[in-house]
mmCIF file of all heavy atoms in Angstrom:
data_model
loop_
_atom_site.group_PDB
_atom_site.id
_atom_site.type_symbol
_atom_site.label_atom_id
_atom_site.label_comp_id
_atom_site.label_asym_id
_atom_site.label_seq_id
_atom_site.Cartn_x
_atom_site.Cartn_y
_atom_site.Cartn_z
ATOM 1 N N VAL A 880 -14.660 10.871 3.534
ATOM 2 C CA VAL A 880 -14.302 10.009 2.397
ATOM 3 C C VAL A 880 -14.297 8.532 2.787
ATOM 4 O O VAL A 880 -14.701 7.675 2.003
ATOM 5 C CB VAL A 880 -12.956 10.439 1.774
ATOM 6 C CG1 VAL A 880 -11.805 10.208 2.740
ATOM 7 C CG2 VAL A 880 -12.686 9.710 0.471
ATOM 8 N N VAL A 881 -13.864 8.222 4.016
ATOM 9 C CA VAL A 881 -13.835 6.826 4.452
ATOM 10 C C VAL A 881 -15.264 6.276 4.519
ATOM 11 O O VAL A 881 -15.547 5.197 4.000
ATOM 12 C CB VAL A 881 -13.139 6.686 5.822
ATOM 13 C CG1 VAL A 881 -13.291 5.267 6.355
ATOM 14 C CG2 VAL A 881 -11.661 7.042 5.707
ATOM 15 N N ASP A 882 -16.167 7.049 5.124
ATOM 16 C CA ASP A 882 -17.559 6.599 5.249
ATOM 17 C C ASP A 882 -18.201 6.384 3.878
ATOM 18 O O ASP A 882 -18.939 5.430 3.672
ATOM 19 C CB ASP A 882 -18.380 7.627 6.036
ATOM 20 C CG ASP A 882 -17.715 7.958 7.359
ATOM 21 O OD1 ASP A 882 -17.910 7.202 8.308
ATOM 22 O OD2 ASP A 882 -16.973 8.953 7.419
ATOM 23 N N VAL A 883 -17.897 7.280 2.948
ATOM 24 C CA VAL A 883 -18.468 7.165 1.609
ATOM 25 C C VAL A 883 -17.971 5.877 0.940
ATOM 26 O O VAL A 883 -18.756 5.126 0.347
ATOM 27 C CB VAL A 883 -18.087 8.393 0.752
ATOM 28 C CG1 VAL A 883 -18.471 8.187 -0.705
ATOM 29 C CG2 VAL A 883 -18.767 9.647 1.293
ATOM 30 N N HIS A 884 -16.666 5.607 1.062
ATOM 31 C CA HIS A 884 -16.120 4.399 0.444
ATOM 32 C C HIS A 884 -16.631 3.127 1.121
ATOM 33 O O HIS A 884 -16.879 2.130 0.453
ATOM 34 C CB HIS A 884 -14.593 4.434 0.455
ATOM 35 C CG HIS A 884 -14.028 5.241 -0.680
ATOM 36 N ND1 HIS A 884 -14.086 6.610 -0.708
ATOM 37 C CD2 HIS A 884 -13.432 4.859 -1.829
ATOM 38 C CE1 HIS A 884 -13.529 7.039 -1.840
ATOM 39 N NE2 HIS A 884 -13.117 5.998 -2.525
ATOM 40 N N ILE A 885 -16.793 3.173 2.447
ATOM 41 C CA ILE A 885 -17.332 2.006 3.157
ATOM 42 C C ILE A 885 -18.768 1.742 2.690
ATOM 43 O O ILE A 885 -19.153 0.597 2.442
ATOM 44 C CB ILE A 885 -17.306 2.230 4.696
ATOM 45 C CG1 ILE A 885 -15.858 2.252 5.215
ATOM 46 C CG2 ILE A 885 -18.149 1.176 5.417
ATOM 47 C CD1 ILE A 885 -15.229 0.902 5.450
ATOM 48 N N ALA A 886 -19.533 2.823 2.548
ATOM 49 C CA ALA A 886 -20.927 2.669 2.099
ATOM 50 C C ALA A 886 -20.968 2.034 0.705
ATOM 51 O O ALA A 886 -21.772 1.136 0.442
ATOM 52 C CB ALA A 886 -21.633 4.028 2.098
ATOM 53 N N ASN A 887 -20.075 2.472 -0.187
ATOM 54 C CA ASN A 887 -20.024 1.906 -1.534
ATOM 55 C C ASN A 887 -19.613 0.435 -1.488
ATOM 56 O O ASN A 887 -20.169 -0.399 -2.210
ATOM 57 C CB ASN A 887 -19.041 2.682 -2.410
ATOM 58 C CG ASN A 887 -19.575 4.068 -2.756
ATOM 59 O OD1 ASN A 887 -20.780 4.301 -2.680
ATOM 60 N ND2 ASN A 887 -18.686 4.979 -3.108
ATOM 61 N N LEU A 888 -18.616 0.122 -0.635
ATOM 62 C CA LEU A 888 -18.176 -1.264 -0.495
ATOM 63 C C LEU A 888 -19.317 -2.161 -0.027
ATOM 64 O O LEU A 888 -19.547 -3.233 -0.571
ATOM 65 C CB LEU A 888 -17.055 -1.337 0.548
ATOM 66 C CG LEU A 888 -15.605 -1.408 0.068
ATOM 67 C CD1 LEU A 888 -14.675 -1.501 1.269
ATOM 68 C CD2 LEU A 888 -15.401 -2.595 -0.862
ATOM 69 N N ARG A 889 -20.022 -1.695 0.990
ATOM 70 C CA ARG A 889 -21.145 -2.467 1.532
ATOM 71 C C ARG A 889 -22.166 -2.764 0.453
ATOM 72 O O ARG A 889 -22.650 -3.876 0.330
ATOM 73 C CB ARG A 889 -21.856 -1.656 2.618
ATOM 74 C CG ARG A 889 -21.259 -1.857 3.978
ATOM 75 C CD ARG A 889 -22.193 -1.191 4.984
ATOM 76 N NE ARG A 889 -21.572 -1.187 6.278
ATOM 77 C CZ ARG A 889 -21.604 -0.158 7.098
ATOM 78 N NH1 ARG A 889 -22.251 0.950 6.758
ATOM 79 N NH2 ARG A 889 -21.012 -0.231 8.260
ATOM 80 N N ARG A 890 -22.483 -1.727 -0.317
ATOM 81 C CA ARG A 890 -23.492 -1.875 -1.364
ATOM 82 C C ARG A 890 -23.016 -2.908 -2.392
ATOM 83 O O ARG A 890 -23.755 -3.799 -2.791
ATOM 84 C CB ARG A 890 -23.744 -0.514 -2.023
ATOM 85 C CG ARG A 890 -24.857 -0.476 -3.023
ATOM 86 C CD ARG A 890 -25.195 0.962 -3.427
ATOM 87 N NE ARG A 890 -23.997 1.794 -3.641
ATOM 88 C CZ ARG A 890 -23.226 1.712 -4.713
ATOM 89 N NH1 ARG A 890 -23.508 0.858 -5.674
ATOM 90 N NH2 ARG A 890 -22.157 2.499 -4.837
ATOM 91 N N LYS A 891 -21.741 -2.809 -2.783
ATOM 92 C CA LYS A 891 -21.240 -3.729 -3.811
ATOM 93 C C LYS A 891 -21.101 -5.163 -3.295
ATOM 94 O O LYS A 891 -21.178 -6.114 -4.061
ATOM 95 C CB LYS A 891 -19.883 -3.232 -4.320
ATOM 96 C CG LYS A 891 -19.988 -1.942 -5.127
ATOM 97 C CD LYS A 891 -18.654 -1.545 -5.734
ATOM 98 C CE LYS A 891 -18.803 -0.291 -6.581
ATOM 99 N NZ LYS A 891 -17.520 0.112 -7.194
ATOM 100 N N LEU A 892 -20.860 -5.305 -1.980
ATOM 101 C CA LEU A 892 -20.636 -6.638 -1.424
ATOM 102 C C LEU A 892 -21.922 -7.286 -0.911
ATOM 103 O O LEU A 892 -21.895 -8.399 -0.399
ATOM 104 C CB LEU A 892 -19.615 -6.565 -0.279
ATOM 105 C CG LEU A 892 -18.199 -6.117 -0.658
ATOM 106 C CD1 LEU A 892 -17.346 -5.927 0.592
ATOM 107 C CD2 LEU A 892 -17.544 -7.131 -1.598
#
Side-chain angles (χ1 to χ4, degrees):
V880 66
V881 172
D882 307 277
V883 171
H884 278 73
I885 291 278
N887 289 339
L888 260 181
R889 272 189 188 138
R890 186 170 42 76
K891 291 186 178 180
L892 296 173

